[in-house]
Amino acid sequence: MPDTPLPVVPHHEIVIVGAGFSGLGTAIALARAGFDDVLLVDDAAGPGGTWHWNTYPGVAVDIPSFSYQFSFAQRSTWSRSYAPGRELRAYAEQIVDEYGLAPRLRFGTRVHSASFDGAAARWTITTSTGEITARWLIHAGGPLSQPKLPDIDGIDSFKGETMHTSRWDHDVTTAGKRVGIIGTGATAVQVIPEIAAGTEQLTVFQRTPIWCLPKPDFPLGSVGRAGLAAIPGVRQAARLASQAFVEATFPVLAHFHKWIPGTDVLEVAARNYIRAQVSDPVTRDKLTPTYALGCKRPSFHNSYLATFNRANVALETTSIEAITPTGIRTTDGTEHLLDVLILATGFKVTDRDALPTYRLTAADGTDLAEHWEAGRFHSYQGVATAGFPNFFTVFGPYGYNGSSFFTLVENSAAHIVRVLDEARRRDATTAEVTSTAQESYMESILARRPLQVFSNPSCAGANSYYFTQQGDVPFRASTTLEAAWQSRRFPLTAYAFAG
């Protein structure tokens, strides 16, 4: 990739915001369809999105590597069945090189706003490096890249080292230090076992426990990698088994829970796992969720729970009153003295300023964030929203069904390419999903809501990022095959083309 900044081009046919796997996959799909004037902008210094930003100790995928990759760029070089983060970052860089995307990338560029000019049929995008205009705008920002800071008094007063897990400072050491970590979500589950042994004292501040299950993670070894690369059918069989595992453990169980209550069985297994892993009964109870498995993103790890057996690890469940210059004070008056404070407090997923991460307005001045906040999240297959022509989202509301993220990217990219292909065929300058098509899609998705595990009343206590402020869960309630078919076979009459 080039070391010098790319020249600023004043206009592009297509601008993609985000150079993680969403942006890269979409750019590749567009190139294959003959769309050459494409620019990708990203505020990071390199590709990979969440895998560029998240470099904390223990970072790894939480679905099998055989599924966590593009179907058209499968690798046989993964070191483990669940690849570590550094390999995903390298994979992103390989994708850029293999598909010649480097000339289309502009890093160090943060988008501040985007507004649509109906008369000119183009977007004006203001960025940290200047203004860009485009006929079509695609938001490809992922959900796990924008850190969410906790709303706690005194957060800026701490005199020691503070860092969010998604912006890990590798110059800061936790060895021999008194460390506090706020949060016990999926990221904390990976960090805690990695740093615990080296700390003088590790205090874990937990608001809501997470369901944790064992992870079938194992090294593939040179023989395994050679088999994947050289023996016909092995890589395909591994991917098929992996895809079936992923489908069975989330889309099927989450969206069709009423018919297939498999999460109840997994919850029993999770309770047994906690009992087997944690020695102290009081700690064990604190680590056991009171909400149903599935309400909140579960985690998979083979040493997280057992880490709480260590003498230098403490689980604190008393609410935090304030962060002080020397540590954390809980509501019982206890002062926890710290040298390092780690914020494992997650990401902006359904927050108003998360999708997208900039102000986006239609020709009539309607702000997308305000539009969704007033009328709740809605879209057409997670890709388009009525009232916002020439704008698409790769990870939009009600587009992701919980399977492999790469499957979502390929589905959304196929949908976008189909619309742009038709616009090109018609020589149209605008394309907008119709309200009728959007409403029909939303009715079909929401009709399945009673079947989902998220309808369990106990989910109210899960503090889950799955839920919006209005209590909605904007997942696509469908199987992966259904989503793939619909993304490639939707009626083109769902869009109004003009110009």
Side-chain angles (χ1 to χ4, degrees):
M1 286 178 283
D3 296 324
T4 57
L6 293 170
V8 176
V9 178
H11 181 81
H12 295 272
E13 183 180 13
I14 303 168
V15 166
I16 300 174
V17 180
F21 287 116
S22 292
L24 300 180
T26 303
I28 292 168
L30 288 167
R32 286 176 164 176
F35 294 96
D36 298 318
D37 187 9
V38 179
L39 175 70
L40 295 92
V41 298
D42 198 297
D43 61 344
T50 187
W51 301 104
H52 173 86
W53 290 115
N54 288 272
T55 61
Y56 58 81
V59 61
V61 297
D62 57 6
I63 70 168
S65 306
F66 311 113
S67 292
Y68 203 82
Q69 57 183 335
F70 289 118
S71 64
F72 55 82
Q74 296 181 45
R75 294 289 184 267
S76 57
T77 54
W78 304 116
S79 65
R80 306 187 65 85
S81 56
Y82 287 73
R86 65 180 180 276
E87 293 183 18
L88 271 300
R89 184 170 179 168
Y91 180 54
E93 293 168 351
Q94 291 165 12
I95 291 293
V96 168
D97 292 339
E98 288 179 20
Y99 291 88
L101 297 178
R104 304 182 183 192
L105 292 165
R106 186 186 299 171
F107 295 117
T109 301
R110 186 169 187 84
V111 173
H112 297 311
S113 67
S115 58
F116 189 66
D117 182 333
R122 70 181 186 185
W123 287 94
T124 297
I125 306 148
T126 60
T127 79
S128 58
T129 57
E131 188 174 277
I132 310 168
T133 58
R135 178 76 66 212
W136 312 96
L137 176 61
I138 301 171
H139 181 72
L144 304 179
S145 61
Q146 299 299 317
K148 186 172 186 176
L149 300 179
D151 184 16
I152 301 174
D153 288 343
I155 191 169
D156 296 323
S157 68
F158 182 59
K159 300 300 185 184
E161 301 285 356
T162 303
M163 55 186 169
H164 191 279
T165 50
S166 68
R167 301 295 186 269
W168 194 272
D169 186 347
H170 291 276
D171 290 331
V172 174
T173 180
T174 58
K177 301 291 184 64
R178 298 167 300 179
V179 180
I181 181 166
I182 299 176
T184 51
T187 298
V189 165
Q190 294 184 337
V191 171
I192 289 168
E194 289 294 317
I195 67 172
T199 64
E200 175 186 323
Q201 174 69 32
L202 175 61
T203 304
V204 180
F205 296 87
Q206 173 184 277
R207 179 179 64 172
T208 309
I210 187 172
W211 286 111
C212 186
L213 290 156
K215 187 177 186 177
D217 181 31
F218 51 86
L220 295 176
S222 57
V223 174
R225 292 193 294 273
L228 287 168
I231 301 176
V234 171
R235 189 173 65 189
Q236 291 82 355
R239 181 171 173 84
L240 180 62
S242 175
Q243 295 287 75
F245 172 76
V246 172
E247 187 76 4
T249 53
F250 193 99
V252 171
L253 297 187
H255 302 313
F256 304 98
H257 175 262
K258 188 173 181 179
W259 295 341
I260 308 172
T263 54
D264 297 344
V265 177
L266 288 178
E267 185 173 319
V268 172
R271 290 181 184 278
N272 289 336
Y273 186 53
I274 293 172
R275 281 194 291 269
Q277 291 287 300
V278 184
S279 303
D280 177 58
V282 175
T283 303
R284 189 188 308 146
D285 287 344
K286 290 180 178 180
L287 289 168
T288 303
T290 57
Y291 56 86
L293 192 150
C295 294
K296 184 176 184 174
R297 180 185 179 185
S299 196
F300 301 85
H301 206 282
N302 297 326
S303 56
Y304 168 70
L305 292 170
T307 301
F308 291 94
N309 295 326
R310 297 185 57 87
N312 69 326
V313 176
L315 178 64
E316 181 56 73
T317 57
T318 305
S319 297
I320 295 174
E321 181 179 286
I323 295 174
T324 69
T326 56
I328 288 178
R329 183 172 65 249
T330 48
T331 54
D332 60 1
T334 302
E335 294 277 353
H336 300 268
L337 300 180
L338 304 173
D339 302 307
V340 180
L341 176 59
I342 300 170
L343 306 176
T345 47
F347 304 90
K348 295 179 179 180
V349 179
T350 58
D351 300 61
R352 176 173 169 165
D353 59 345
L355 183 63
T357 52
Y358 45 90
R359 178 177 168 81
L360 185 139
T361 53
D364 63 359
T366 302
D367 180 285
L368 180 60
E370 293 177 357
H371 176 71
W372 273 336
E373 189 173 56
R376 295 188 167 186
F377 275 137
H378 51 267
S379 76
Y380 182 62
Q381 295 192 8
V383 172
T385 303
F388 294 84
N390 295 26
F391 174 68
F392 306 98
T393 50
V394 178
F395 190 95
Y398 297 100
Y400 180 47
N401 77 334
S403 63
S404 169
F405 181 69
F406 284 82
T407 303
L408 165 73
V409 174
E410 293 185 40
N411 287 346
S412 295
H415 183 131
I416 294 167
V417 166
R418 191 157 188 256
V419 175
L420 296 189
D421 257 338
E422 181 64 11
R424 180 171 56 185
R425 187 186 71 79
R426 295 178 181 225
D427 199 24
T429 56
T430 64
E432 179 184 348
V433 68
T434 66
S435 295
T436 300
Q438 179 177 275
E439 289 168 6
S440 177
Y441 172 74
M442 289 302 302
E443 285 175 6
S444 68
I445 291 296
L446 296 179
R448 293 179 176 178
R449 181 175 288 179
L451 303 177
Q452 295 178 298
V453 69
F454 313 117
S455 63
N456 189 309
S458 70
C459 289
N463 288 313
S464 171
Y465 71 70
Y466 288 168
F467 292 81
T468 66
Q469 290 183 344
Q470 294 90 353
D472 300 325
V473 180
F475 275 112
R476 184 176 192 160
S478 75
T479 63
T480 299
L481 286 176
E482 180 184 12
W485 172 266
Q486 290 178 344
S487 297
R488 293 161 177 80
R489 296 291 187 274
F490 62 89
L492 288 169
T493 52
Y495 283 83
F497 297 89

